[in-house]
Amino acid sequence: MSLARPNARLLRRLPLQQLRTYAAPGEGSIPPAKKKYVPTTGTYPLGFSAGSAHVGVKASNTRFDDLALIASDTPCSGAAVFTTNKFQAAPVTVSRDMLKRRKGEGIRAVVVNSGCANAVTGKGGIDDAVAMGEGMDKCFVEDETRSPEDDFTDDGKGSRTVVMSTGVIGQRLPIQKITSKLPTVYSRLGSTHDHWLSAARAICTTDTFPKLLSRSFSLPSSSEEYHIVGMTKGAGMIHPNMATLLGIICTDAPITAPALQTLLISSVDKSFNSISIDGDTSTNDTVAILANGAAGGKPIANDTSSGDFKAMQETLTNFTIDLAKLVVRDGEGATKFVTIRVTNAATYSDAKRVASTIARSPLVKTALYGKDANWGRILCATGYAENVSSVIPSETSVSFIPTDGSPELKLLVNGEPEAVDETRAAKILESEDLEILVKLSDKQGEEAVYWTCDFSHEYVTINGDYRT
């Protein structure tokens, strides 16, 4: 007996019930190729702790933690950078107002839920975000085990907690379920690597792996060893300013609130505002930083000329760049991590605009996915970058820079096409990592770097059924 072959025309008409090959933390294990990005140990800042708990914000999530808490043992300085989307989520509004009211001082915690963004939810959404913050405050105040010097009493300035949410837009939070679990997540605070990793995992949505980094650093004026930790989530709707991402950074270095805000804004511009996965900017994007000074030393003031400020700026910028790269490496359906370097521009702004335009071009991204050295698409995107005066067609050059250290593959030199070795080009494009170099002129000038990924079939699959 022979089996009948399926009717291809009929199959094309059937609703697509595609099998997902990605494995987000709410749905399966970390893909083998991504495990190398998950740390097995860490060096964490003094006086901070982390924890997570299961709420079931999304009804389909019956067992994975979706509530995270990061807390300081003592009141600390805090700063944040938020999305520029006009439809800003309730937690963005509430956290911005709180930081402004407190002038970035006396902050104690960041609480995050995944599964629901609490965005475009009206006054009720604001009330829910406030309830999350105040509920978390109450846990600190009622903790009888805290020592008297850990002053978390009411100082008349309201909440001390930064609130974040991520997930589906346009739905109200199950706020009673969340607030009832705040004491649970508080009781699970700890300072081990496992505590930090569980919190990083709890804030994930379509992420395929938790994004957590930590390291030590020093400052010129002190013999102390300082520490910094950061976690972020994001895999889709990623594009400045900032992206669909949440980021929480903590350090035990002593930094004043005004200096912390200046440092964060500058570092975000070179990191989280220099990545793109799909060109979409979301409603909830927030990167917050807390500094409690637990490691000691002289506080860093908002003085850009001081040695400590400069050292802290370099440390924080490099750290946020590495965090931002993890977001790109986990781009929804991505198979490639692409560095776009634009040089010899008249201004940094011009270089960054060109890099950003190339990074979000669907034609460039699909060509990279198909391992097609279609440099004409790169050149096309360079040419239509808006408000850029640095592009000189007769002096523009485009190359692929291999990651194995071999010579660059020149595609266009001073506006003239090269005879491309397609075999070598295909070999370069087989690699997970790739750099695209675009020189806008022959004159020395400004440089900008952007990080992006390719577009695959999987991106459509993930986003086609994200809500349902």
Side-chain angles (χ1 to χ4, degrees):
M1 184 178 79
S2 62
L3 296 174
R5 296 177 62 186
N7 187 309
R9 183 177 298 175
L10 176 61
L11 287 176
R12 284 197 295 268
R13 293 177 179 174
L14 292 175
L16 291 178
Q17 300 294 330
Q18 301 189 46
L19 292 176
R20 298 182 179 188
T21 58
Y22 68 97
E27 303 177 335
S29 60
I30 298 169
K34 304 293 186 180
K35 287 183 179 180
K36 60 188 175 184
Y37 302 119
V38 181
T40 55
T41 60
T43 174
Y44 297 104
L46 304 176
F48 281 103
S49 53
S52 65
H54 173 256
V55 175
V57 173
K58 229 176 178 180
S60 59
N61 177 16
T62 59
R63 59 194 180 98
F64 294 98
D65 287 359
D66 51 0
L67 184 66
L69 175 63
I70 296 89
S72 173
D73 291 346
T74 57
C76 57
S77 300
V81 178
F82 300 96
T83 180
T84 58
N85 193 303
K86 290 182 173 61
F87 288 97
Q88 297 188 349
V92 169
T93 299
V94 169
S95 295
R96 179 191 285 113
D97 290 348
M98 183 275 290
L99 288 168
K100 183 178 180 180
R101 183 173 61 251
R102 301 196 67 88
K103 296 181 179 179
E105 298 173 346
I107 312 303
R108 66 173 146 227
V110 180
V111 63
V112 191
N113 77 271
S114 61
C116 177
N118 191 12
V120 198
T121 47
K123 184 180 183 301
I126 296 291
D127 293 340
D128 291 344
V130 170
M132 277 183 67
E134 292 182 348
M136 202 70 261
D137 296 331
K138 187 178 180 182
C139 293
F140 286 86
V141 173
E142 295 180 350
D143 183 358
E144 297 179 355
T145 66
R146 284 194 169 273
S147 59
E149 58 266 24
D150 296 341
D151 184 14
F152 289 127
T153 56
D154 183 7
D155 60 0
K157 297 179 182 178
S159 178
R160 297 174 183 267
T161 301
V162 176
V163 178
M164 298 182 186
S165 297
T166 182
V168 178
I169 294 172
Q171 296 180 2
R172 288 284 298 274
L173 288 174
I175 191 60
Q176 296 301 325
K177 290 174 67 175
I178 291 175
T179 54
S180 69
K181 286 298 182 74
L182 294 177
T184 301
V185 74
Y186 182 84
S187 70
R188 294 181 179 176
L189 284 172
S191 56
T192 70
H193 173 70
D194 286 344
H195 285 96
W196 284 99
L197 191 62
S198 70
R201 190 179 182 93
I203 68 175
C204 293
T205 51
T206 60
D207 307 63
T208 67
F209 66 92
K211 301 163 186 65
L212 178 70
L213 288 179
S214 63
R215 62 186 55 157
S216 302
F217 65 96
S218 60
L219 295 172
S221 71
S222 176
S223 60
E224 303 290 345
E225 180 182 63
Y226 296 103
H227 313 84
I228 188 169
V229 62
M231 64 180 71
T232 185
K233 64 82 51 187
M237 287 184 79
I238 301 293
H239 191 69
N241 288 303
M242 283 175 305
T244 298
L245 62 86
L246 300 180
I248 304 106
I249 303 165
C250 301
T251 179
D252 53 18
I255 310 173
T256 65
L260 204 59
Q261 187 69 47
T262 302
L263 290 163
L264 183 63
I265 290 172
S266 179
S267 67
V268 164
D269 184 56
K270 295 287 181 68
S271 56
F272 292 111
N273 276 348
S274 292
I275 61 175
S276 183
I277 287 175
D278 49 20
D280 271 322
T281 300
S282 183
T283 54
N284 290 59
D285 316 326
T286 304
V287 174
I289 183 169
L290 304 181
N292 64 8
K298 181 181 177 182
I300 298 174
N302 197 20
D303 177 7
T304 57
S305 65
S306 78
D308 280 358
F309 186 98
K310 290 178 180 178
M312 191 67 228
Q313 185 68 82
E314 182 179 3
T315 295
L316 184 60
T317 299
N318 290 336
F319 187 72
T320 54
I321 284 174
D322 289 342
L323 270 178
K325 286 180 178 179
L326 289 179
V327 175
V328 177
R329 289 196 179 278
D330 200 24
E332 290 173 341
T335 67
K336 296 195 181 307
F337 176 85
V338 185
T339 299
I340 299 173
R341 189 179 307 275
V342 177
T343 66
N344 294 356
T347 64
Y348 172 75
S349 177
D350 274 7
K352 190 171 183 181
R353 284 195 180 105
V354 170
S356 172
T357 304
I358 297 169
R360 67 175 185 267
S361 166
L363 291 179
V364 170
K365 294 160 80 68
T366 51
L368 293 172
Y369 173 64
K371 305 178 181 65
D372 181 7
N374 195 341
W375 58 266
R377 294 181 176 182
I378 300 170
L379 193 67
C380 181
T382 301
Y384 68 67
E386 295 182 352
N387 300 315
V388 173
S389 58
S390 298
V391 179
I392 303 174
S394 62
E395 297 181 11
T396 299
S397 299
V398 178
S399 298
F400 286 157
I401 309 297
T403 55
D404 60 5
S406 60
E408 67 181 297
L409 177 62
K410 296 180 180 181
L411 307 169
L412 181 79
V413 177
N414 293 329
E416 295 291 334
E418 295 288 287
V420 178
D421 183 341
E422 295 290 347
T423 301
R424 182 163 183 247
K427 182 173 174 44
I428 291 172
L429 290 171
E430 285 285 345
S431 300
E432 179 183 347
D433 287 25
L434 169 71
E435 179 176 324
I436 297 172
L437 174 64
V438 178
K439 297 178 182 178
L440 298 184
S441 75
D442 286 337
K443 305 175 186 66
Q444 287 295 112
E446 297 294 323
E447 174 182 311
V449 180
Y450 228 81
W451 296 277
T452 190
C453 59
D454 56 346
F455 261 162
S456 70
H457 302 287
E458 196 68 15
Y459 178 85
V460 178
T461 301
I462 294 169
N463 284 283
D465 66 355
Y466 175 71
R467 190 174 68 88
T468 54

